[in-house]
Amino acid sequence: MPADLSRLSLNQATTKYWTLCDAIDGCARAGIPAIGVWRDRLAEAGVAAAARMLRDAGLHCSSLCRGGWFPAATRAERAARIDDNRRAIEEAAALGADVLVLVCGPAPDRDIRAARAMVEEGIAAILPDAIDHGVTLGIEPLHPMFAADRSVITSLGEAVALAERFDSPRVGVVIDAYHVWWDAGVYDLIQRCGRRTVAYHVSDWIVPLPDVLNGRGMMGDGVIELRSLREAVDAAGYRGFIEVEIFNEAIWNMPGDQVVSLMCERYLEHVAPIQDQYPSKKRTPAIKDASP
Amino acid sequence: MPADLSRLSLNQATTKYWTLCDAIDGCARAGIPAIGVWRDRLAEAGVAAAARMLRDAGLHCSSLCRGGWFPAATRAERAARIDDNRRAIEEAAALGADVLVLVCGPAPDRDIRAARAMVEEGIAAILPDAIDHGVTLGIEPLHPMFAADRSVITSLGEAVALAERFDSPRVGVVIDAYHVWWDAGVYDLIQRCGRRTVAYHVSDWIVPLPDVLNGRGMMGDGVIELRSLREAVDAAGYRGFIEVEIFNEAIWNMPGDQVVSLMCERYLEHVAPIQDQYPSKKRTPAIKDASP
């Protein structure tokens, strides 16, 4: 039985120096069925060309990264951000992406509560476009260490409460194990997210943390209970892809194919259901050991 | 009217290179009425000598840092940690400290839930000693970025729930603005803490964060709404000292008296009630401006 990679997706951030074309080819070589696309690499390739490349390779687009970044000091700036999110929705529709990931953005000043209101207003403004284009918006809570410079949405509880207020199948939550593993309520919150979970990302938390921004680890190199969390996400009703998204200089500097190969191995060892592991690593049932 | 520093306390971590004697003298020179003492500097000075120095200087001990660090891989190690906490309780009693700060410690493995149970068991084990010695234990939730290497208690919600389960006047919560400011529920949680808040610490969150461990900022140099948070803590019933605790290489390398002077100025400007500010900075009532 071959190792089951049917739910694995390569988020492009993991192979930062690969173009979209490189990444598509890399997935094909490794037997990975899906990819999370970043907009800078998408712009470089061109949206129509990218959609064609994905189709030709038979590769599914599990996410487009990223929309969001709603709070800004002036009304004009906020309107510009919303326009950009509308373009991102069109791109996500063109690629047939499962979800447009929203990294919601930091506050323009010290008023984090006002910034949170701007996020909610921003999502409300773009939701009709998402519905028109059949695109699902995924609110991604980031780790609280990014509260001041990347996202005022800092916990899974906050993200799911926000998604619930929209109560639309086109607004869900993106769960990234790296961002939420520390939360004492994480298992209850995953359950509460249920089918509102529209994407699931994995990496690992290395000790000590090598870098705030680019210090994520390969699965198995850190302390996150990756299998338990994935089981909880699945038990709550998630059926989508499991994307590996790793920001790490050392990994970026490895040859892309080597990263992808390691990622497949570690996914099977630390994240995937036990029956999806490599046959060589499957445990022989105990009853057999006891018989002569 | 002189500037009101009556609630200000210097946490020794802010002037890392000062001995306890240096710090006591520095507080006296600056008119600061209280100090948060660290155990390494206390051991260096000797407990009896330190208690005498504090008394002679008329300086109050607002906290002893730190007890905690409960989770460990073996029963023997956990027992050794509990013994150390018992010594810390005796030291806190000798100094007449308002609170023994508990930094609860990381998990010895990937099982953060088991480690949280060890924290609760540890506090339960030392609580009778704390009661006997008249010492208040303060559970300090640390920022989630320290979840893997310093504290499995990562949010104010988790800390107050834990304190509530003991339901003893000798178990409270230490709120440090740096650790909890990002939380969307922080104002509600401060209210819930109420009089269980047994210490309040301030510093600031600089953008971008210079360092995970030693990158805290002087009040006013970052994005935390320090006055609003202090007002909320007071409104919930807190009447204790406001300790300035800053881990920052650049600040440590400044002359201690200069740090203390800057700290007083920034405390008045960004944290203290408006009426406590320097007279020169007090706003003239608007009604006076209107009269000839």
Side-chain angles (χ1 to χ4, degrees):
Chain A
M1 188 186 83
D4 186 351
L5 301 176
S6 64
R7 291 185 67 194
L8 182 59
S9 175
L10 170 70
N11 184 291
Q12 266 202 280
T14 306
T15 51
K16 182 187 169 89
Y17 301 129
W18 268 356
T19 63
L20 181 55
C21 183
D22 293 337
I24 290 172
D25 291 347
C27 286
R29 282 191 296 274
I32 295 171
I35 186 167
V37 174
W38 276 73
R39 290 183 73 203
D40 54 343
R41 289 298 192 178
L42 178 63
E44 187 184 63
V47 178
R52 198 166 49 241
M53 284 194 289
L54 288 170
R55 205 165 43 239
D56 291 349
L59 200 61
H60 187 78
C61 180
S62 52
S63 74
L64 180 63
C65 302
R66 57 186 194 202
W69 226 261
F70 298 107
T74 67
R75 184 181 297 268
E77 284 175 279
R78 292 197 292 280
R81 307 276 174 100
I82 284 169
D83 285 345
D84 185 59
N85 275 277
R86 290 190 170 122
R87 284 190 293 276
I89 287 169
E90 290 169 9
E91 294 165 12
L95 301 185
D98 289 338
V99 59
L100 173 64
V101 175
L102 302 181
V103 172
C104 294
D109 51 28
R110 286 195 178 88
D111 194 345
I112 194 170
R113 286 173 290 186
R116 286 174 171 135
M118 292 176 197
V119 169
E120 188 157 353
E121 286 164 17
I123 296 172
I126 63 171
L127 180 53
D129 301 79
I131 292 169
D132 282 353
H133 287 82
V135 167
T136 299
L137 306 173
I139 302 164
E140 181 172 27
L142 295 203
H143 193 284
M145 72 186 173
F146 299 120
D149 52 7
R150 282 189 159 59
S151 175
V152 294
I153 307 298
T154 60
S155 70
L156 191 48
E158 191 183 352
V160 68
L162 181 53
E164 284 168 354
R165 288 201 290 280
F166 287 103
D167 196 24
S168 161
R170 290 296 175 202
V171 180
V173 172
V174 176
I175 301 181
D176 184 318
Y178 183 84
H179 291 308
V180 305
W181 71 276
W182 54 269
D183 194 322
V186 68
Y187 288 96
D188 290 341
L189 288 165
I190 286 171
Q191 184 60 38
R192 175 171 163 194
C193 286
R195 292 188 170 266
R196 285 192 215 272
T197 300
V198 292
Y200 184 55
H201 293 184
V202 293
S203 62
D204 214 336
W205 185 283
I206 307 172
V207 182
L209 196 66
D211 183 75
V212 171
L213 193 54
N214 297 322
R216 300 195 198 187
M218 183 58 77
M219 297 82 74
D221 288 344
V223 299
I224 306 178
E225 294 178 294
L226 289 167
R227 179 157 284 116
S228 305
L229 288 171
R230 196 269 312 146
E231 284 170 352
V233 169
D234 284 352
Y238 181 66
R239 296 290 175 266
F241 284 94
I242 298 163
E243 265 185 42
V244 176
E245 185 183 45
I246 306 178
F247 296 80
N248 183 304
E249 289 285 353
I251 287 174
W252 290 337
N253 289 325
M254 287 167 59
D257 282 322
Q258 196 177 321
V259 171
V260 167
S261 165
L262 180 63
M263 172 187 113
C264 291
E265 185 186 310
R266 295 295 188 84
Y267 164 77
L268 293 167
E269 192 175 345
H270 296 282
V271 182
I274 300 291
Q275 66 267 28
D276 294 350
Q277 288 188 12
Y278 286 119
S280 63
K281 294 201 175 173
K282 286 189 80 173
R283 282 177 190 77
T284 309
I287 189 78
K288 273 204 168 174
D289 290 345
S291 62
Chain B
M1 188 186 80
D4 186 351
L5 301 176
S6 64
R7 291 186 67 197
L8 182 59
S9 175
L10 170 69
N11 184 291
Q12 266 201 280
T14 306
T15 51
K16 182 187 168 89
Y17 301 128
W18 267 357
T19 63
L20 181 55
C21 183
D22 293 338
I24 290 171
D25 291 348
C27 286
R29 283 192 298 274
I32 296 171
I35 186 168
V37 173
W38 276 73
R39 290 183 73 202
D40 54 342
R41 290 297 191 179
L42 177 63
E44 188 183 65
V47 178
R52 198 166 49 239
M53 284 194 289
L54 288 170
R55 205 165 43 238
D56 291 350
L59 199 61
H60 186 78
C61 180
S62 52
S63 74
L64 179 64
C65 300
R66 58 185 194 202
W69 226 261
F70 297 106
T74 66
R75 183 181 298 267
E77 284 175 279
R78 292 197 293 279
R81 308 276 174 100
I82 283 169
D83 285 345
D84 185 60
N85 274 278
R86 291 190 170 121
R87 284 190 293 276
I89 287 170
E90 289 170 9
E91 293 166 13
L95 301 185
D98 289 338
V99 60
L100 173 64
V101 175
L102 302 182
V103 172
C104 293
D109 51 28
R110 286 195 178 90
D111 194 344
I112 194 169
R113 286 175 290 185
R116 286 173 170 137
M118 292 176 198
V119 169
E120 188 157 354
E121 285 164 19
I123 297 172
I126 63 171
L127 180 53
D129 301 79
I131 292 169
D132 281 354
H133 287 82
V135 167
T136 300
L137 306 173
I139 301 164
E140 181 172 26
L142 261 51
H143 192 285
M145 72 185 173
F146 299 121
D149 52 8
R150 282 190 159 59
S151 174
V152 294
I153 307 298
T154 60
S155 71
L156 191 49
E158 190 183 353
V160 68
L162 181 54
E164 285 168 352
R165 287 201 291 281
F166 287 103
D167 195 25
S168 161
R170 290 296 175 202
V171 179
V173 173
V174 176
I175 301 181
D176 184 319
Y178 183 84
H179 292 307
V180 305
W181 71 276
W182 55 269
D183 194 322
V186 69
Y187 288 95
D188 291 340
L189 288 166
I190 286 171
Q191 185 60 38
R192 174 170 163 194
C193 286
R195 292 188 169 265
R196 284 192 215 272
T197 300
V198 292
Y200 184 56
H201 294 184
V202 293
S203 63
D204 213 336
W205 185 283
I206 308 171
V207 182
L209 195 66
D211 183 75
V212 171
L213 193 53
N214 297 323
R216 301 196 198 186
M218 183 58 77
M219 296 82 74
D221 287 343
V223 299
I224 305 179
E225 294 179 293
L226 289 167
R227 180 158 283 117
S228 306
L229 287 171
R230 197 269 312 146
E231 285 170 352
V233 169
D234 283 352
Y238 181 66
R239 296 291 176 267
F241 284 94
I242 298 164
E243 265 186 42
V244 177
E245 185 184 46
I246 305 179
F247 296 80
N248 183 304
E249 289 284 354
I251 287 174
W252 290 337
N253 289 326
M254 287 167 60
D257 281 323
Q258 196 178 321
V259 171
V260 167
S261 165
L262 180 62
M263 171 187 115
C264 290
E265 185 185 309
R266 296 295 188 83
Y267 164 78
L268 293 167
E269 193 176 348
H270 296 282
V271 182
I274 300 290
Q275 65 267 28
D276 293 350
Q277 288 189 12
Y278 286 119
S280 62
K281 295 201 176 172
K282 285 189 81 173
R283 282 178 188 76
T284 309
I287 189 78
K288 273 203 166 174
D289 289 344
S291 63

